C-alpha cells in the first residue's frame, strides 16, 4: 500500500467512524421553543460546557457523546416532548471536544468521569442537589457513563449504554488508529480525528481495569447494540450479558449499525422511559414502607 493510499484510507476510515453530525445552529436544531440553555462549570481547571433542557427537578438525564463528537448528537432527545415532561436533560461537550477545551484531551476514562461528576450533583443552575441521574452514553461515551455509575453509585440512578465500547477483546486499535500516530497522517487529517485517536489508543487497558467492577453495579443497566455495527463489535452485547449483574437489559437491534441512536431513537427513548418508570415504582415502594 502506498503512502498516499494509507493516508487516504486512514482519513476515510476515521470519517466513517466519527460519532458526530454536521454542525447546525441552535435554531436549526430546535425550530420551536423550548430550547436548551448553554451553561458552563469548572472542574480541575477545565471549563466544561453543557446544554440543559429544564424539566422536573426530581431526576436528570445526562447524555454523553462518543468520539469525536459534541452535545449536538443528543439534540433530538433534548427536543423529545415526553422526555421533557419527565426530567431535566443535560447534553455535555466532553472535555477535549466542542466548547469544553477542544483539543485539550483527557484520554483516561476515569479522569473523564471525574470531570463530569459535578453534573451528577447538579451545578448551581442545574436541577438541584439530591436529584438522581440516568446516565446515557453512546460509543466511547458508553464506558464513561459506566465509569460514572461505578465510581458514583449514590448519584447514578441507572444507565443506558448504546453501542458502547466496553469489551477489551474487541476494542483493539485498528490499522487506521495506528496510522494516525504517524506524523504525515496526523498533519493531513482533521484535528478532531487526532483528538479521537488520543482517546482510542489507550482504551483497552482501561477497559480491562473496569472488568472486575461490572458485577458490582447496583443500579439498572440497559445495553442497546445493533447487530450490524461495524465500529463496535456486535459481540459487545454478549460481553455485557456476561459481565453485568443478572437482570440487566440487553437489547439487540436487528439490521442496525453503530448509529442506532439516530436511526432508531425510539428504542433509546423507550429504554430511558422504562428506567424512569422503574424509578417511580421503586420510590412508591420506599414511601409505602417508611
Amino acid at each position: 500500500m502506498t503512502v498516499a493510499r494509507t493516508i487516504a484510507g486512514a482519513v476515510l476510515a476515521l470519517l466513517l467512524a466519527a460519532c458526530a453530525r454536521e454542525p447546525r445552529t441552535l435554531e436549526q436544531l430546535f425550530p420551536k421553543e423550548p430550547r436548551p440553555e448553554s451553561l458552563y462549570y469548572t472542574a480541575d481547571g477545565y471549563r466544561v460546557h453543557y446544554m440543559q433542557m429544564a424539566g422536573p427537578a426530581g431526576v436528570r438525564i445526562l447524555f454523553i457523546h462518543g468520539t469525536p463528537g459534541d452535545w449536538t448528537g443528543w439534540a433530538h432527545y433534548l427536543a423529545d416532548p415526553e422526555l421533557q415532561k419527565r426530567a431535566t436533560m443535560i447534553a455535555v461537550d466532553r472535555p477535549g471536544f466542542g466548547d469544553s477545551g477542544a483539543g485539550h484531551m483527557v484520554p483516561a476514562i476515569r479522569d473523564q468521569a471525574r470531570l463530569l461528576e459535578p453534573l451528577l450533583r447538579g451545578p448551581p443552575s442545574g436541577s438541584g442537589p439530591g436529584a438522581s441521574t440516568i446516565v446515557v452514553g453512546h460509543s466511547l461515551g458508553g464506558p464513561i457513563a459506566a465509569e460514572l455509575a461505578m465510581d458514583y453509585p449514590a448519584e447514578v440512578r441507572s444507565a443506558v449504554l448504546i453501542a458502547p465500547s466496553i469489551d477489551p477483546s474487541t476494542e483493539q486499535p485498528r490499522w487506521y488508529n495506528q496510522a494516525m500516530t504517524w506524523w504525515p497522517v496526523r498533519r493531513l487529517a482533521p484535528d478532531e480525528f487526532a483528538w479521537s485517536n488520543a482517546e482510542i489508543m489507550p482504551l483497552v487497558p482501561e477497559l480491562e481495569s473496569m472488568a472486575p467492577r461490572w458485577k458490582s453495579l447496583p443500579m439498572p443497566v440497559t445495553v442497546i447494540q445493533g447487530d450490524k455495527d461495524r465500529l463496535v463489535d456486535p459481540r459487545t452485547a454478549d460481553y455485557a450479558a456476561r459481565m453485568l449483574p443478572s437482570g440487566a437489559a440487553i437489547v439487540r437491534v436487528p439490521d442496525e449499525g453503530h448509529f442506532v441512536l439516530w436511526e432508531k431513537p425510539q428504542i433509546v427513548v423507550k429504554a430511558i422511559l422504562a428506567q424512569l418508570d422503574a424509578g417511580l415504582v421503586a420510590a412508591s415502594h420506599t414511601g409505602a414502607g417508611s
Side-chain angles (χ1 to χ4, degrees):
M1 181 179 289
T2 67
V3 171
R5 286 181 63 195
T6 299
I7 293 172
V11 172
L12 175 61
L14 285 164
L15 281 167
L16 291 172
C19 294
R21 310 189 89 176
E22 192 69 23
R24 289 184 287 170
T25 67
L26 192 63
E27 289 71 24
Q28 289 172 323
L29 290 167
F30 301 89
K32 299 179 181 179
E33 298 285 354
R35 295 188 178 104
E37 183 181 7
S38 178
L39 299 167
Y40 295 85
Y41 67 93
T42 301
D44 289 354
Y46 273 82
R47 189 168 184 253
V48 180
H49 172 252
Y50 63 101
M51 300 295 288
Q52 178 176 279
M53 183 68 81
V59 64
R60 72 174 63 82
I61 303 168
L62 172 59
F63 294 99
I64 305 170
H65 65 80
T67 188
D70 59 31
W71 77 269
T72 61
W74 301 104
H76 177 84
Y77 295 89
L78 298 189
D80 185 274
E82 186 64 24
L83 293 178
Q84 288 176 359
K85 290 187 293 185
R86 301 290 299 275
T88 288
M89 290 184 283
I90 293 170
V92 65
D93 284 338
R94 292 197 292 107
F97 295 96
D99 286 337
S100 297
H104 297 281
M105 306 311 299
V106 183
I109 289 174
R110 198 158 216 172
D111 289 342
Q112 287 257 348
R114 176 173 49 80
L115 292 173
L116 297 182
E117 183 270 339
L119 292 173
L120 304 180
R121 294 185 278 110
S125 53
S127 56
S132 57
T133 303
I134 298 174
V135 291
V136 182
H138 173 245
S139 197
L140 191 65
I144 295 170
E147 186 70 50
L148 283 166
M150 292 173 180
D151 292 349
Y152 310 102
E155 287 79 25
V156 174
R157 169 182 181 151
S158 56
V160 178
L161 312 180
I162 309 158
S165 301
I166 58 174
D167 182 357
S169 70
T170 61
E171 290 293 336
Q172 296 289 339
R174 303 179 186 187
W175 69 265
Y176 50 81
N177 300 122
Q178 301 290 350
M180 276 294 298
T181 65
W182 188 40
W183 74 265
V185 177
R186 166 65 186 87
R187 291 191 61 176
L188 287 171
D191 287 340
E192 290 82 357
F193 300 150
W195 304 342
S196 177
N197 221 52
E199 298 187 307
I200 292 171
M201 292 302 290
L203 180 59
V204 168
E206 295 187 83
L207 296 179
E208 290 172 343
S209 72
M210 293 175 69
R213 295 186 288 151
W214 285 103
K215 289 290 186 189
S216 67
L217 287 175
M219 71 287 292
V221 179
T222 299
V223 175
I224 300 171
Q225 178 64 54
D227 68 3
K228 300 295 185 184
D229 196 330
R230 296 178 60 190
L231 298 176
V232 168
D233 195 301
R235 291 175 295 175
T236 295
D238 302 323
Y239 179 82
R242 292 195 307 271
M243 303 301 290
L244 284 164
S246 61
I250 311 299
V251 181
R252 305 170 194 264
V253 188
D255 301 319
E256 282 298 327
H258 192 60
F259 302 115
V260 61
L261 80 163
W262 298 326
E263 294 166 357
K264 293 289 179 64
Q266 67 273 18
I267 294 175
V268 178
V269 171
K270 181 179 178 180
I272 295 172
L273 290 174
Q275 292 190 350
L276 287 165
D277 291 340
L280 286 176
V281 171
S284 66
H285 286 174
T286 301
S290 60

